[in-house]
Amino acid sequence: MQNECQLCQKSQNLQDIHVTTGSGSFSGNVTVCGECQNAMNDLEKSDEYFRLLEGAIYVPDEATQILSYRLLERLREQGWAAQILESLYIEPEVLAWAKDAPKEGAASAQTTVDAHGTPLQTGDTVTLIKDLEVKGAGFTAKRGTIVKNIRLTDDAKYIEGKINGSTIVLVAAYMKKSV
Ligand SMILES: [Zn+2]
Protein backbone atom coordinates (compact mmCIF):
# COMPACT_ATOMS: atom_id res chain seq x y z
CA MET A 1 0.00 0.00 0.00
CA GLN A 2 1.38 3.38 -1.06
CA ASN A 3 0.48 6.59 0.75
CA GLU A 4 -1.13 8.13 -2.32
CA CYS A 5 -3.20 7.03 -5.28
CA GLN A 6 -0.87 5.75 -8.01
CA LEU A 7 -3.25 7.02 -10.68
CA CYS A 8 -4.09 10.52 -9.46
CA GLN A 9 -1.95 11.13 -6.34
CA LYS A 10 -4.91 11.81 -4.04
CA SER A 11 -4.71 10.20 -0.62
CA GLN A 12 -8.34 9.67 0.45
CA ASN A 13 -9.76 6.17 1.01
CA LEU A 14 -6.79 4.32 -0.39
CA GLN A 15 -7.00 0.65 -1.15
CA ASP A 16 -4.88 -1.83 -3.08
CA ILE A 17 -6.06 -3.36 -6.33
CA HIS A 18 -4.46 -6.66 -7.25
CA VAL A 19 -3.28 -6.82 -10.86
CA THR A 20 -2.49 -10.17 -12.47
CA THR A 21 -2.27 -11.77 -15.88
CA GLY A 22 -4.16 -14.75 -17.28
CA SER A 23 -0.98 -16.79 -17.52
CA GLY A 24 0.19 -15.82 -14.04
CA SER A 25 3.36 -14.21 -15.43
CA PHE A 26 2.79 -10.99 -13.53
CA SER A 27 1.31 -10.10 -10.19
CA GLY A 28 1.36 -6.76 -8.40
CA ASN A 29 -0.65 -4.18 -6.52
CA VAL A 30 -1.79 -0.68 -7.40
CA THR A 31 -2.91 1.70 -4.67
CA VAL A 32 -5.96 3.69 -5.77
CA CYS A 33 -8.07 6.31 -4.01
CA GLY A 34 -11.81 6.13 -3.41
CA GLU A 35 -12.57 8.56 -6.22
CA CYS A 36 -10.69 6.52 -8.81
CA GLN A 37 -12.29 3.32 -7.49
CA ASN A 38 -15.75 4.90 -7.86
CA ALA A 39 -14.95 6.00 -11.39
CA MET A 40 -13.74 2.47 -12.21
CA ASN A 41 -16.92 0.92 -10.87
CA ASP A 42 -18.92 3.16 -13.16
CA LEU A 43 -16.64 3.44 -16.13
CA GLU A 44 -19.34 4.34 -18.65
CA LYS A 45 -20.20 7.41 -16.60
CA SER A 46 -16.65 8.42 -15.79
CA ASP A 47 -16.54 10.61 -18.92
CA GLU A 48 -13.17 12.24 -19.12
CA TYR A 49 -12.17 11.55 -15.52
CA PHE A 50 -9.62 9.00 -16.62
CA ARG A 51 -7.79 11.37 -18.93
CA LEU A 52 -5.41 11.30 -15.97
CA LEU A 53 -4.32 7.88 -17.27
CA GLU A 54 -2.35 9.71 -19.92
CA GLY A 55 0.15 10.37 -17.13
CA ALA A 56 -0.44 7.25 -15.05
CA ILE A 57 0.40 4.89 -17.88
CA TYR A 58 3.97 6.21 -17.91
CA VAL A 59 4.75 6.00 -14.20
CA PRO A 60 7.67 3.67 -13.57
CA ASP A 61 5.54 0.96 -12.02
CA GLU A 62 4.47 -2.04 -14.08
CA ALA A 63 1.27 -2.79 -12.15
CA THR A 64 0.09 0.82 -12.55
CA GLN A 65 0.88 0.72 -16.27
CA ILE A 66 -1.04 -2.53 -16.71
CA LEU A 67 -4.08 -1.23 -14.84
CA SER A 68 -3.98 2.05 -16.80
CA TYR A 69 -3.74 0.23 -20.11
CA ARG A 70 -6.69 -2.04 -19.31
CA LEU A 71 -8.83 0.91 -18.27
CA LEU A 72 -7.92 2.79 -21.46
CA GLU A 73 -8.88 -0.26 -23.53
CA ARG A 74 -12.28 -0.30 -21.86
CA LEU A 75 -12.63 3.43 -22.59
CA ARG A 76 -11.42 3.12 -26.16
CA GLU A 77 -14.75 4.23 -27.66
CA GLN A 78 -14.06 7.62 -26.20
CA GLY A 79 -11.84 9.30 -28.75
CA TRP A 80 -9.34 10.66 -26.27
CA ALA A 81 -8.63 7.17 -24.88
CA ALA A 82 -8.07 5.76 -28.38
CA GLN A 83 -5.66 8.60 -29.04
CA ILE A 84 -3.60 7.82 -25.95
CA LEU A 85 -3.49 4.14 -26.95
CA GLU A 86 -2.47 4.92 -30.50
CA SER A 87 0.55 6.94 -29.48
CA LEU A 88 1.53 4.60 -26.67
CA TYR A 89 5.16 3.67 -26.09
CA ILE A 90 5.56 1.26 -23.23
CA GLU A 91 7.84 -1.74 -22.80
CA PRO A 92 6.71 -4.65 -25.00
CA GLU A 93 6.80 -6.94 -21.98
CA VAL A 94 4.47 -4.66 -20.00
CA LEU A 95 2.17 -4.33 -23.00
CA ALA A 96 1.98 -8.12 -23.32
CA TRP A 97 1.05 -8.43 -19.63
CA ALA A 98 -1.54 -5.68 -19.98
CA LYS A 99 -3.18 -7.49 -22.88
CA ASP A 100 -3.16 -10.80 -20.99
CA ALA A 101 -6.05 -9.98 -18.66
CA PRO A 102 -7.35 -12.76 -16.39
CA LYS A 103 -10.45 -14.56 -17.67
CA GLU A 104 -13.01 -12.49 -15.80
CA GLY A 105 -11.76 -9.63 -17.95
CA ALA A 106 -11.98 -7.27 -15.03
CA ALA A 107 -9.35 -4.59 -14.95
CA SER A 108 -9.63 -4.74 -11.21
CA ALA A 109 -11.25 -6.59 -8.42
CA GLN A 110 -14.27 -4.40 -7.97
CA THR A 111 -14.90 -3.10 -4.53
CA THR A 112 -18.28 -1.81 -3.46
CA VAL A 113 -17.88 1.71 -2.11
CA ASP A 114 -20.29 4.33 -0.80
CA ALA A 115 -20.76 7.93 -2.00
CA HIS A 116 -17.47 8.93 -0.42
CA GLY A 117 -15.48 5.99 -1.67
CA THR A 118 -15.53 4.18 1.68
CA PRO A 119 -15.54 0.39 1.12
CA LEU A 120 -18.78 -1.35 2.13
CA GLN A 121 -19.08 -4.86 3.55
CA THR A 122 -21.97 -7.21 4.10
CA GLY A 123 -23.48 -6.43 7.52
CA ASP A 124 -22.69 -2.71 7.38
CA THR A 125 -25.22 0.00 8.19
CA VAL A 126 -25.70 2.77 5.64
CA THR A 127 -27.73 5.98 5.37
CA LEU A 128 -29.46 7.13 2.18
CA ILE A 129 -28.09 10.45 0.97
CA LYS A 130 -31.00 11.12 -1.39
CA ASP A 131 -34.69 10.24 -1.75
CA LEU A 132 -35.08 7.05 -3.72
CA GLU A 133 -38.24 5.98 -5.45
CA VAL A 134 -38.59 2.25 -4.86
CA LYS A 135 -40.05 0.94 -8.07
CA GLY A 136 -42.43 -1.96 -7.58
CA ALA A 137 -42.82 -1.40 -3.86
CA GLY A 138 -44.66 1.89 -4.37
CA PHE A 139 -42.94 4.11 -1.83
CA THR A 140 -40.13 6.58 -1.65
CA ALA A 141 -37.27 5.86 0.70
CA LYS A 142 -36.41 9.20 2.22
CA ARG A 143 -33.00 10.70 2.42
CA GLY A 144 -31.62 9.91 5.87
CA THR A 145 -33.24 6.45 6.00
CA ILE A 146 -30.95 4.03 7.80
CA VAL A 147 -30.49 0.60 6.25
CA LYS A 148 -29.00 -1.99 8.58
CA ASN A 149 -27.25 -5.22 7.75
CA ILE A 150 -26.76 -4.64 4.03
CA ARG A 151 -25.61 -7.36 1.65
CA LEU A 152 -23.17 -6.95 -1.20
CA THR A 153 -24.24 -8.12 -4.66
CA ASP A 154 -22.27 -9.51 -7.61
CA ASP A 155 -22.27 -6.02 -9.08
CA ALA A 156 -20.10 -3.55 -7.17
CA LYS A 157 -22.52 -0.75 -8.04
CA TYR A 158 -25.37 -2.22 -6.01
CA ILE A 159 -26.11 -3.44 -2.51
CA GLU A 160 -29.19 -5.08 -1.05
CA GLY A 161 -30.96 -3.87 2.03
CA LYS A 162 -34.30 -3.92 3.79
CA ILE A 163 -36.48 -0.80 3.81
CA ASN A 164 -40.08 -0.91 5.13
CA GLY A 165 -39.76 -4.68 5.33
CA SER A 166 -38.92 -5.10 1.64
CA THR A 167 -35.52 -6.26 0.50
CA ILE A 168 -34.49 -3.95 -2.32
CA VAL A 169 -31.49 -3.31 -4.47
CA LEU A 170 -29.84 0.03 -3.77
CA VAL A 171 -27.24 2.03 -5.65
CA ALA A 172 -24.12 2.03 -3.48
CA ALA A 173 -23.17 5.53 -4.65
CA TYR A 174 -26.31 6.93 -2.96
CA MET A 175 -25.33 5.47 0.42
CA LYS A 176 -23.12 6.71 3.18
CA LYS A 177 -21.58 4.19 5.54
CA SER A 178 -22.55 4.74 9.18
CA VAL A 179 -19.81 4.47 11.72
ZN1 LIG B 1 -7.03 8.33 -7.51
Side-chain angles (χ1 to χ4, degrees), residues 5-10 31-37 49 52:
C5 176
Q6 289 177 271
L7 299 179
C8 76
Q9 282 76 53
K10 281 193 279 283
T31 300
V32 298
C33 68
E35 197 175 337
C36 285
Q37 180 73 61
Y49 178 82
L52 57 87

Side-chain angles (χ1 to χ4, degrees), residues 88-147:
L88 201 62
Y89 54 97
I90 58 176
E91 291 291 326
E93 192 177 33
V94 176
L95 186 62
W97 286 329
K99 287 182 172 172
D100 179 22
K103 263 287 178 284
E104 306 85 324
S108 59
Q110 293 212 325
T111 307
T112 304
V113 295
D114 75 359
H116 301 288
T118 307
L120 296 173
Q121 306 289 341
T122 290
D124 279 352
T125 298
V126 296
T127 307
L128 267 60
I129 59 166
K130 59 180 278 181
D131 290 355
L132 293 179
E133 192 189 326
V134 183
K135 295 195 180 72
F139 66 90
T140 299
K142 291 282 181 209
R143 175 168 179 232
T145 300
I146 291 170
V147 187

Side-chain angles (χ1 to χ4, degrees), residues 132 153 158-161 167-171:
L132 293 179
T153 68
Y158 302 102
I159 59 168
E160 274 180 11
T167 299
I168 52 180
V169 175
L170 299 158
V171 178

Side-chain angles (χ1 to χ4, degrees), residues 5-20:
C5 176
Q6 289 177 271
L7 299 179
C8 76
Q9 282 76 53
K10 281 193 279 283
S11 54
Q12 282 84 40
N13 299 310
L14 296 175
Q15 53 196 292
D16 274 345
I17 289 185
H18 194 53
V19 176
T20 56

